[in-house]
């Protein structure tokens, strides 16, 4: 079996999809369930049908394009990603995994390959949190990470509920039916741009992801006592910003001293109230993002942060309240799929780098119900989520080729 990816066709399809956008080229904006997103979905469905795949859609709009194997009732081999794009994004994030997956399936069909296990291209709904404030909406529902009730209660920026929005987009059906059974996929592989600089820097054309890090985020509110910057003497102060400063440094230190380079913690927002030059800060709001590839280690950091909140509160006589916004579990990629990807690279004499995905993807959630792995291609300067996001044609085609080879191995 010799596999060839039609690189020109793949690139022209990436351009065609990029043209379905609410931003001026080269920027791409495609928010879930907008008229533009619906146009893109229809365009993509037609491409899948043209390729001989059977297309179905679930109640949240996750789209499955299936090539039945000779054992159609057996678990399927899945691949795919997302096509939604944040405002002013580029044209490769997600799209490379969807159209690259389609190109891989086409090349398998053209080679005369016949899968035993069905091969399915899966296009996830709303990987980006832009509209409903939560990322990976489709894969959270598929994996049972988000309950249908919680999903129904989500609202968009205009106050419309998810149910209203999806029905307007022509999606009926019952959200209860979206979750897939644990044995639905035998394996799931997602092709994606790296969104980081490592592959390009090291001149390695492919990355095989071994772990996906996951974030936990907190909002912390500190409340002390305000007052005139001249009038209140130091022994009497309960300065919320000074307390926050201690906390911020403790958070940094908790990550630095975790014992692993994969632990990262960031305080990205520090809002000071009232924020005047001659006024003692009475309130501070912090946002904290903690990530790791190891759940226990990340949770240790979270506990340290909680302990520090209590200690700082006591020491400085300020109230400190923390609210956990989310805490997804990191995922390990399946050794069997990592091996299949590695074998495919060796077969084509392509160098690869085992690596950690520090951004999270739909595969993080699919890992709850299926063995997963990811394949990364380089992107220029590591840029993503911006109009100058770029992946080289050869890199995209190479990724699709290794994906095709791996799908063949996993579905035989
Ligand atoms: Zn993505």
């Amino acid at each position: 079996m010799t596999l060839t990816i039609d690189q020109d066709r793949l690139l022209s399809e990436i351009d065609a999809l990029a043209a379905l956008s609410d931003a001026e080229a080269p920027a791409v904006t495609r928010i879930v369930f907008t008229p533009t997103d619906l146009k893109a979905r229809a365009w993509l469905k037609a491409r899948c049908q043209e390729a001989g795949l059977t297309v179905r859609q679930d109640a949240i709009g996750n789209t499955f394009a299936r090539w039945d194997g000779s054992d159609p009732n057996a678990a399927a081999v899945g691949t795919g990603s997302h096509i939604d794009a944040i405002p002013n994004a580029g044209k490769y994030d997600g799209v490379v995994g969807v159209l690259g997956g389609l190109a891989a399936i086409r090349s398998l069909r053209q080679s005369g390959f016949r899968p035993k296990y069905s091969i399915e291209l899966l296009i996830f709904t709303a990987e980006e949190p832009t509209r409903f404030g939560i990322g990976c909406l489709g894969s959270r529902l598929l994996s049972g990470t988000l309950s249908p009730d919680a999903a129904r209660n989500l609202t968009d920026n205009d106050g419309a509920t998810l149910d209203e929005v999806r029905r307007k987009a022509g999606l009926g059906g019952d959200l209860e039916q979206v979750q897939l059974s644990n044995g639905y996929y035998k394996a799931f592989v997602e092709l994606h741009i790296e969104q980081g600089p490592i592959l390009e820097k090291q001149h390695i054309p492919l990355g095989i992801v071994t772990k996906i890090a996951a974030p936990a985020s907190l909002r912390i509110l500190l409340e002390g006592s305000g007052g005139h910057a001249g009038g209140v003497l130091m022994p009497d102060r309960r300065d919320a910003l000074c307390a926050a400063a201690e906390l911020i440094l403790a958070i940094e230190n908790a990550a630095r001293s975790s014992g692993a380079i994969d632990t990262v913690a960031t305080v990205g927002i520090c809002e000071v109230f009232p924020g005047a030059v001659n006024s003692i800060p009475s309130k501070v709001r912090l946002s904290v993002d903690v990530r790791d590839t190891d759940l226990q280690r990340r949770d240790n950091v979270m506990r340290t942060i909680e302990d520090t909140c209590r200690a700082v509160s006591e020491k400085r006589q300020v109230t400190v309240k923390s609210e956990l916004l989310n805490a997804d579990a990191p995922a390990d990629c399946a050794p069997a799929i990592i091996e299949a990807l590695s074998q495919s690279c060796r077969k084509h004499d392509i160098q690869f780098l085992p690596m950690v995905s520090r951004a999270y993807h739909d595969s993080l959630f699919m890992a709850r119900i299926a063995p997963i792995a990811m394949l990364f291609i380089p992107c220029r300067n590591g840029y993503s989520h911006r109009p100058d996001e770029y992946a080289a044609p050869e890199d995209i085609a190479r990724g699709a080729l290794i994906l095709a080879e791996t799908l063949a191995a996993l579905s035989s």
Side-chain angles (χ1 to χ4, degrees):
M1 179 183 69
T2 315
L3 295 172
T4 23
I5 298 295
D6 187 339
Q7 181 176 316
D8 293 340
R9 182 172 183 182
L10 174 51
L11 290 175
S12 78
E13 286 183 342
I14 290 173
D15 286 337
L17 190 51
L20 299 170
S21 158
D22 286 322
E24 193 114 358
V28 176
T29 300
R30 205 164 35 235
I31 314 290
V32 69
F33 298 147
T34 54
T36 302
D37 176 54
L38 297 181
K39 244 184 254 169
R41 285 166 177 263
W43 176 87
L44 189 57
K45 256 178 251 169
R47 299 290 80 70
C48 291
Q49 281 158 344
E50 220 170 59
L53 306 178
T54 311
V55 179
R56 81 173 168 94
Q57 215 173 223
D58 68 16
I60 193 66
N62 291 312
T63 305
F64 303 76
R66 188 176 177 97
W67 177 12
D68 268 333
S70 59
D71 188 356
N73 296 320
V77 175
T79 188
S81 194
H82 62 100
I83 61 161
D84 63 323
I86 65 164
N88 220 32
K91 60 181 173 183
Y92 302 98
D93 175 12
V95 168
V96 161
V98 171
L99 292 175
L102 182 58
I105 292 173
R106 267 198 216 112
S107 80
L108 287 169
R109 290 174 78 90
Q110 273 154 14
S111 75
F113 174 76
R114 183 86 180 83
K116 174 172 183 254
Y117 299 93
S118 304
I119 295 178
E120 216 171 57
L121 178 68
L122 173 48
I123 302 119
F124 295 100
T125 285
E127 194 264 349
E128 304 292 0
T130 317
R131 184 154 188 181
F132 292 102
I134 182 170
C136 298
L137 184 56
S139 53
R140 281 181 197 270
L141 281 163
L142 285 174
S143 61
T145 312
L146 178 71
S147 72
D149 276 337
R152 268 188 284 270
N153 285 329
L154 295 170
T155 50
D156 71 4
N157 305 326
D158 298 326
T161 67
L162 177 66
D163 246 9
E164 288 163 9
V165 173
R166 76 176 176 106
R167 286 182 198 284
K168 237 190 206 165
L171 293 166
D174 191 353
L175 287 181
E176 264 74 16
Q177 306 293 316
V178 171
Q179 188 177 345
L180 296 176
S181 67
N182 227 313
Y184 184 90
Y185 283 120
K186 173 180 182 274
F188 189 88
V189 195
E190 182 173 0
L191 172 66
H192 208 281
I193 58 169
E194 184 199 337
Q195 300 182 293
I198 297 171
L199 291 172
E200 185 187 49
K201 245 188 225 162
Q202 301 197 15
H203 304 287
I204 298 179
L206 287 172
I208 296 178
V209 175
T210 55
K211 289 164 186 288
I212 307 176
S217 50
L218 287 169
R219 190 185 289 143
I220 301 181
L221 288 160
L222 301 100
E223 195 165 354
S225 175
H228 195 282
V232 185
L233 298 178
M234 299 315 278
D236 300 324
R237 295 213 181 183
R238 291 165 52 222
D239 185 321
L241 183 55
C242 291
E246 281 199 32
L247 191 52
I248 291 169
L249 291 177
I251 290 168
E252 182 195 32
N253 190 49
R256 277 184 191 274
S257 58
S258 82
I261 192 78
D262 289 332
T263 317
V264 289
T266 309
V267 178
I269 298 176
C270 175
E271 286 171 344
V272 182
F273 183 84
V277 66
N278 56 356
S279 180
I280 300 162
S282 60
K283 275 186 231 170
V284 171
R285 191 171 75 115
L286 302 177
S287 76
V288 187
D289 176 300
V290 183
R291 297 179 190 223
D292 207 316
T293 53
D294 182 90
L295 183 61
Q296 209 183 344
R297 215 165 42 213
R298 193 196 65 197
D299 287 348
N300 281 341
V301 172
M302 300 295 280
R303 267 191 296 277
T304 306
I305 294 174
E306 291 297 335
D307 292 347
T308 311
C309 285
R310 272 191 296 276
V312 167
S313 167
E314 212 162 290
K315 179 178 161 198
R316 290 188 165 267
Q317 293 300 302
V318 296
T319 57
V320 183
K321 282 187 201 140
S322 70
E323 183 192 354
L324 184 66
L325 300 180
N326 72 291
D328 295 310
D332 287 321
C333 295
I337 310 178
I338 294 174
E339 184 49 31
L341 285 164
S342 313
Q343 288 271 15
S344 303
C345 288
R346 281 184 217 113
K347 186 171 165 186
H348 289 269
D349 216 10
I350 298 171
Q351 210 194 343
F352 63 89
L353 184 72
M355 62 194 302
V356 166
S357 171
R358 301 193 186 274
Y360 68 95
H361 301 279
D362 290 304
S363 288
L364 177 69
F365 299 98
M366 294 307 282
R368 313 256 171 111
I369 53 160
I372 61 116
M374 292 188 74
L375 183 62
F376 277 175
I377 61 166
C379 57
R380 192 167 61 199
N381 300 325
Y383 291 166
S384 184
H385 283 189
R386 41 189 280 180
D388 55 354
E389 181 183 87
Y390 176 80
E394 324 71 84
D395 287 328
I396 298 171
R398 200 183 284 116
L401 176 68
I402 295 306
L403 178 63
E405 196 70 64
T406 305
L407 292 176
L410 294 170
S411 64
S412 290

